[in-house]
Amino acid sequence: EKLLAYEKEMLGLYVSDHPLWGMETKLRSKTDVALGQLREQKDGSSLRIGGIISKISRVTTKKGDLMLFVTIEDFEGVVEVIVFPAVYQQYQSLLVEDKVVCIKGRLDIKEENVKVIAQEMESIEVGKKEPAPVYIRVSAKSFNKQLMACLKDILRTHPGSIPVYLQLTQDDKITTLRLNESYRVSRNGGFFAELKELLGEDAVL
């Protein structure tokens, strides 16, 4: 955790690991939607989101109360969460950078801006993590049955305990799919070499 904190402070990003790796199942069980899919939801709807707090901005209201603008990140996106004074007073112990949280709130979509107005919060404890997953990114336009067949062959050739996620990209949108447990793999040079030969150097995350 200290190493990750130093990486984020010095480089602005995580390099050797990510605080959310291994927590995918827990996040899915506690949330309604990934952050990258918020724009597709109905404005004003109540939903649960989750992720890591990457930034906190504090503002004092005209009444002298403290409210926060909190940036939450998951694997697919980023969103700003507005925490009004009453909610801040109730959950201030959870509002700490690098804390992994679940937030229930109201979705606020205005033109290009997507925000969540916080209503309730809870901490998501890290606990025992799953192995860091492999993310395979493919353009949705180039993804077809033949490519999927080749990808399945590679995954089956390198069985293991590592979960695999498929990210389909289309314009600025990323759709993330978790592959079946039967497609878990082992991290080795041959596996990554075959993937890169099939999909390109930038396809494996």
Side-chain angles (χ1 to χ4, degrees), residues 10-35:
M10 296 295 294
L11 305 174
L13 73 164
Y14 301 108
V15 177
S16 60
D17 198 349
H18 192 288
L20 297 180
W21 281 351
M23 299 184 66
E24 296 85 355
T25 301
K26 188 173 289 187
L27 273 175
R28 285 201 310 274
S29 69
K30 288 183 171 292
T31 59
D32 300 318
V33 61
L35 299 185

Side-chain angles (χ1 to χ4, degrees), residues 157-182:
T157 305
H158 302 276
S161 61
I162 309 297
V164 178
Y165 287 80
L166 181 64
Q167 293 188 325
L168 298 177
T169 63
Q170 187 169 13
D171 299 323
D172 295 330
K173 180 182 176 182
I174 299 176
T175 301
T176 302
L177 307 171
R178 178 166 178 149
L179 299 189
N180 188 282
E181 298 294 308
S182 62

Side-chain angles (χ1 to χ4, degrees), residues 41-56:
Q41 310 305 309
K42 183 180 179 181
D43 180 35
S45 60
S46 179
L47 41 71
R48 295 180 304 161
I49 60 170
I52 186 168
I53 298 177
S54 61
K55 182 180 178 182
I56 297 176

Side-chain angles (χ1 to χ4, degrees), residues 46-152:
S46 179
L47 41 71
R48 295 180 304 161
I49 60 170
I52 186 168
I53 298 177
S54 61
K55 182 180 178 182
I56 297 176
S57 298
R58 294 170 171 82
V59 175
T60 303
T61 68
K62 292 181 179 179
K63 294 183 178 180
D65 298 321
L66 194 63
M67 65 177 291
L68 273 56
F69 294 90
V70 180
T71 302
I72 303 290
E73 299 183 18
D74 67 4
F75 292 109
E76 294 189 26
V78 179
V79 70
E80 185 176 70
V81 176
I82 301 173
V83 183
F84 286 113
V87 178
Y88 169 69
Q89 288 296 324
Q90 187 174 358
Y91 299 104
Q92 57 182 305
S93 63
L94 303 183
L95 292 162
V96 181
E97 287 192 12
D98 298 325
K99 186 83 170 175
V100 181
V101 295
C102 172
I103 298 175
K104 179 182 178 182
R106 179 170 58 83
L107 187 60
D108 182 37
I109 302 177
K110 288 184 174 62
E111 297 179 354
E112 297 300 317
N113 294 320
V114 178
K115 300 181 186 295
V116 173
I117 299 173
Q119 298 168 330
E120 300 175 11
M121 298 181 64
E122 67 173 292
S123 173
I124 300 179
E125 299 303 325
V126 175
K128 184 180 179 180
K129 290 188 174 185
E130 294 182 0
V134 171
Y135 284 84
I136 302 173
R137 184 165 293 183
V138 183
S139 168
K141 293 180 180 179
S142 63
F143 195 69
N144 52 42
K145 290 183 178 180
Q146 181 179 357
L147 184 61
M148 186 63 191
C150 293
L151 181 58
K152 284 181 177 180

